[in-house]
Amino acid sequence: MDKYKNIAKVKRLDFDHLDMLVSERLGALKLLAQGMTESDVHDALCRDLILPCVYLLAQFLEFMNTGNKEEDNG
């Protein structure tokens, strides 16, 4: 069974809990972003926290969108 160990790991993931955590954190990130004022600290937060998170999320969404298109065409 070691051959498909990654499938076994994925099947054990608690996606409901992960969904809840991501939604909470995304909501907090949104509130943080909406409350930003022009300052060096807030600019650094945007650069170091918000923009990298949004970029990573966009990459994930792009990957999932591409995967769905391939399945539709297959």
Side-chain angles (χ1 to χ4, degrees), residues 29-62:
L29 190 63
K30 177 183 173 183
L31 290 175
L32 177 66
Q34 290 175 338
M36 291 282 170
T37 57
E38 292 183 9
S39 71
D40 290 342
V41 171
H42 286 167
D43 192 60
L45 278 171
C46 288
R47 179 196 66 224
D48 297 338
L49 175 68
I50 295 173
L51 291 175
C53 289
V54 170
Y55 178 72
L56 183 60
L57 182 58
Q59 285 183 311
F60 171 74
L61 294 172
E62 177 77 23

Side-chain angles (χ1 to χ4, degrees), residues 10-21:
V10 168
K11 286 184 176 186
R12 290 192 306 265
L13 292 174
D14 183 352
F15 280 101
D16 290 332
H17 186 70
L18 185 59
D19 179 39
M20 186 254 328
L21 291 174

